Structures are given as C-alpha cells and as structure tokens.
Amino acid sequence: MKKILTVLALSAFIVTIISCDRNGNTDKVEITNETEAALYEMYPDATDVSWQFKSGYSVASFSSSFTKSDNSVRRSAWFDDMGGWYMTETDITYDRLPEAVKAAFESSEYASWTIDDIDMLERGGVETIYVIEVEGVMEGRTVEMDLYYSPDGILVKQIADADSDYDYDDYIPTDPGTGIRDFIEENYPGARIVEVDEEGGYVEVEIIDGGVCRELLFEMGGTWIYTKTGLRLAEVPENIMQFFNSSEYSSARIDDVDHYLMPGNEFYRFELEGRGDDVEIDIYPDGTIEVVDRGGNGGNGNGQMVGEEVAAFIEDRYPGAVILEYDYDDGMLEVEIFHDSREKDVYFNGADEWVWSKWEVRVSELPAAVIAALDAEYGRYEIDDAEFVETPSSQYYVIEIEFGDDNEIELRMDADGNIL
C-alpha cells in the first residue's frame, strides 16, 4: 500500500481496503487518507496491513519491528477518521517485559501458572500497560486471569475469564477533562493516569501515585467525590487499629481495608467476616465507628458503575434486589445486593458472565440431612459459619466447623448431607 506523505492535500479522499474474514468472505473497509497516513507515520515499516472497524475506530492489524535489527511483531493500532491515534496493542515475549514487571509477576501468587500470552498496551496520554495472560486453578476450577501491570511492576487490575475475543476496546483512554486533570495534578503531583471510565453520570479515574494505586470518583462536571486507596493491614495507621482492637468487632476477621478521602472528611472502611453476617464498618480518625449504611455509603453503591448486562442479570435472577455496592476481588466483579431480606454477594467474570452467588445462612436454616451428617461425622465440632453457594451448575453449603482453638475444618456439602 502506498504511503501517504501529504495528509492535508488528500484529506478529501478515502482509501478502500478489502478485508477478509476467517471464512474467506470479503468486505470493503473505507479508511481515510488521514488514518492511513497516521499509521505509516508511526510505523514506517508496517507490512501485512489489514483494517477493521471496531467500536467506532479504524483498527489496523500489521507487522512491524521494535528496532531495525528485531524480528517483526504483530500489532493492532486504533485511529479515528482524522488520523488521531488512541492505542496500540503489541504481542510481546516475556523477555521484553520491564524488569520490574517480571519481578512483580515472579513474586506473585500467579508465578506458577502457565503464561498464555503477553500484550503491551500503549495509549495516548495515559500509562503504558503490560498484560500477562495466565491459566491456572482457583477454588478447584480452571481459570484464565489477565494481569495488568504498570511499567514499574504495580498490579493495577486483574480480570478472570475475559471474553476470548476481547481486544481491549474498552481500555482506550477517555479524556477526563481539563478540570479533572488539573485536580489530579494539584493533589497528586506526578501521578500517572491508568484508566478513565464514564458511566451513570460519574467519572472514575484510576491513577498510580508514586507506588500507590488510587481510584478517584468525580461527577461528570468534574466535582471530586472521593479518593479510595486499598491498604494492606500493615499500612493501616496505628491509632485506627487501636480503635478497631478495642471495639466490639475486634474478634472478626479483617477481609479488606480501604481508605476513603473526601471533601472535609476521611475514614477507613473495614470489611469483616465473623459469626453471622459479614459487616462493614467505617472508622474515623477521632475514633468514631459507624456500621456502613447498606444504601451505599462511600460513593459506589446503588450500582451506578455496574454494567447493563450485570444489572439485568441480577434483576432477572433476584427480582426486586437492590444493588448495594460493587468491588473487584481476584479478578471477579463482586456485586453486593439486598434480596429476600438478606445480603447476597453475586460474582461475575471478565465477560460479565455469572460465576456464582453466596450468602450467609443461620444454622437453623441448614437442611436436616446436613445437620445429621455433621452430627454423625463431626459430633464434637461446633458450626462456626455457614454459607449457601449457587453456581450455574450446582448448589451447596460451605460450612466452617471448629473444635477447640486449633481444629478448624471447612466442608462443602449438598442439601442431602453429602460431603463434596
């Protein structure tokens, strides 16, 4: 294909490309001269070029080299009709990863998993991201996990079982606007923007601030609502931990801690697991402790950032359910709902497919066959916790039993009392 040298002189013309699908059918794809010129300006050695339209963008698939002495690699570059570039996906080998990314992966819980593929995502105006696709076993089932790393080895995102044909089209950066950029620069100098998401009247911006990943939520007009930072337990301030340890919740297991900073206020949200229902509490710097209002205190409740497919599934399977909160856990989207007078956790993979749901049950709600089986096999043990789990193919109970301080067992049982 002839390289276009003078874009403005040819801006009225359109290049027609013949694109073949996997079945050999041909479609005419009309690419503007500005778009074709932009491709060759960025990648002068591009060969084997084909074009597609995806999500309103012109996408070129081609081969090119990192340097003149390198072998060619496959790339996909996304442009608009005026030749504006947005993103390039490049297939790379493990040795081309930054050393910090390799070190982070090799020290992660996924280091023993099989690497299927590695992509480099270069995007206009935001951080370059490296995606390591791995496959392994999680909770007894095979899982494919996409691990998103910044160049300095920070794991910024993970997605379980993404669509097989997912091509990062929703990872193309959205301009958050001058006001939001100015706020970030003023309050988090030098921070790098990783992702911008607009949905339901809000703008969610993920940044890397030094070595810390933060999520900022804004109104569409640019008004800052809050900044959320996930903390390891060792990072929680000492006085906050003292408030927790002297509270009525001190015996509960801490599952997660997030720091929320908002105009004129801040608190630390603890997700706790213990006997009976799980609970979330907010601990303020003055020692005030509040149980989280299940209406979504903290900004991300009421489902405003939950996709339409997920919301529709929840309404269909759990009619009348209220979406309380959502979060990402081990690459899964966890949506907390209130349905049939109880809180339930509903999990979806990266393709927005339902994986499982679970909720706490009281001992009195366990089937008689389950109680009888426990009495027969574990008569000396007491039931510490019980959950009901349903998946697309099965339903069962997860029961934690204990005897003394050092004997704890977790069992999976069906409604007939069979241990799975």
Side-chain angles (χ1 to χ4, degrees):
M1 185 180 294
K2 183 179 180 182
K3 179 177 176 181
I4 306 299
L5 297 178
T6 308
V7 173
L8 294 177
L10 299 174
S11 62
F13 294 90
I14 292 176
V15 179
T16 300
I17 308 296
I18 303 299
S19 176
C20 297
D21 65 19
R22 294 179 180 176
N23 298 317
N25 300 317
T26 60
D27 294 310
K28 291 184 178 181
V29 180
E30 295 183 340
I31 304 298
T32 65
N33 288 311
E34 290 92 338
T35 301
E36 189 191 21
L39 169 66
Y40 285 105
E41 182 178 351
M42 291 188 69
Y43 305 101
D45 67 335
T47 59
D48 190 22
V49 180
S50 63
W51 291 90
Q52 288 180 284
F53 287 131
K54 296 181 182 180
S55 304
Y57 296 90
S58 299
V59 183
S61 297
F62 59 98
S63 296
S64 72
S65 302
F66 279 99
T67 67
K68 291 183 179 180
S69 60
D70 280 335
N71 294 326
S72 291
V73 295
R74 289 301 295 176
R75 303 181 193 263
S76 295
W78 300 62
F79 300 90
D80 63 25
D81 286 346
M82 298 303 295
W85 170 78
Y86 291 84
M87 179 174 71
T88 298
E89 171 200 348
T90 303
D91 293 334
I92 65 173
T93 54
Y94 189 80
D95 60 289
R96 286 203 173 275
L97 287 172
E99 291 300 321
V101 175
K102 289 190 283 189
F105 172 73
E106 291 167 8
S107 64
S108 75
E109 61 185 294
Y110 302 102
S112 62
W113 289 29
T114 300
I115 297 177
D116 290 333
D117 191 29
I118 301 175
D119 296 322
M120 177 176 68
L121 302 181
E122 300 169 284
R123 301 171 297 155
V126 296
E127 184 80 336
T128 295
I129 293 294
Y130 297 86
V131 184
I132 304 177
E133 301 175 16
V134 296
E135 182 176 309
V137 177
M138 178 182 291
E139 296 187 355
R141 66 186 189 90
T142 300
V143 174
E144 294 181 352
M145 190 74 72
D146 294 350
L147 307 173
Y148 290 63
Y149 287 95
S150 68
D152 46 354
I154 298 174
L155 181 62
V156 298
K157 184 178 183 179
Q158 56 191 86
I159 298 178
D161 294 327
D163 263 331
S164 58
D165 59 352
Y166 178 60
D167 56 8
Y168 307 109
D169 59 339
D170 61 357
Y171 219 56
I172 294 175
T174 300
D175 187 356
T178 303
I180 292 178
R181 284 188 178 275
D182 289 346
F183 177 91
I184 292 172
E185 181 58 34
E186 179 180 350
N187 291 275
Y188 305 97
R192 296 162 287 160
I193 294 177
V194 175
E195 187 173 5
V196 181
D197 188 18
E198 295 181 2
E199 193 170 345
Y202 295 88
V203 180
E204 188 175 71
V205 183
E206 186 173 343
I207 66 172
I208 296 175
D209 177 26
V212 179
C213 201
R214 307 187 194 274
E215 297 175 11
L216 283 70
L217 191 68
F218 299 84
E219 295 179 357
M220 289 297 291
T223 301
W224 173 59
I225 299 174
Y226 68 73
T227 298
K228 174 184 174 183
T229 305
L231 302 176
R232 296 188 294 270
L233 204 56
E235 297 173 325
V236 179
E238 183 178 351
N239 66 316
I240 299 297
M241 286 305 304
Q242 289 175 347
F243 294 142
F244 171 78
N245 291 329
S246 61
S247 74
E248 61 183 291
Y249 305 100
S250 59
S251 62
R253 187 179 74 85
I254 300 174
D255 185 47
D256 195 27
V257 182
D258 293 312
H259 176 242
Y260 281 85
L261 181 65
M262 53 190 58
N265 206 353
E266 68 173 316
F267 57 83
Y268 296 81
R269 174 159 296 173
F270 286 65
E271 296 182 13
L272 307 175
E273 294 183 358
R275 290 180 180 269
D277 291 338
D278 296 345
V279 66
E280 294 181 2
I281 61 172
D282 294 338
I283 302 181
Y284 292 80
D286 65 358
T288 300
I289 297 179
E290 294 181 355
V291 176
V292 174
D293 179 0
R294 306 319 301 161
N297 182 22
N300 70 336
N302 303 318
Q304 73 256 22
M305 300 294 280
V306 172
E308 292 182 3
E309 291 185 15
V310 169
F313 174 88
I314 290 173
E315 177 58 32
D316 180 63
R317 189 167 188 88
Y318 306 106
V322 176
I323 296 177
L324 302 174
E325 195 171 13
Y326 79 96
D327 205 348
Y328 288 89
D329 184 22
D330 289 333
M332 300 283 183
L333 171 64
E334 177 187 357
V335 184
E336 190 172 334
I337 67 174
F338 190 76
H339 176 253
D340 280 351
S341 300
R342 72 175 75 217
E343 295 173 14
K344 301 179 179 181
D345 295 325
V346 189
Y347 291 82
F348 300 85
N349 65 19
D352 286 342
E353 299 168 335
W354 176 56
V355 180
W356 74 78
S357 301
K358 68 176 183 178
W359 56 87
E360 299 276 349
V361 296
R362 294 185 291 274
V363 174
S364 61
E365 296 175 308
L366 292 173
V370 171
I371 297 296
L374 289 172
D375 287 342
E377 295 291 332
Y378 302 96
R380 296 186 300 171
Y381 284 75
E382 294 184 355
I383 297 175
D384 182 47
D385 191 38
E387 292 181 327
F388 180 75
V389 177
E390 59 176 357
T391 75
S393 60
S394 64
Q395 296 182 340
Y396 55 90
Y397 295 88
V398 177
I399 303 171
E400 296 179 10
I401 59 176
E402 62 180 7
F403 176 67
D405 295 330
D406 300 322
N407 296 293
E408 296 183 354
I409 301 176
E410 181 178 281
L411 302 171
R412 296 187 180 192
M413 305 180 69
D414 64 21
D416 296 325
N418 299 309
I419 298 177
L420 306 178

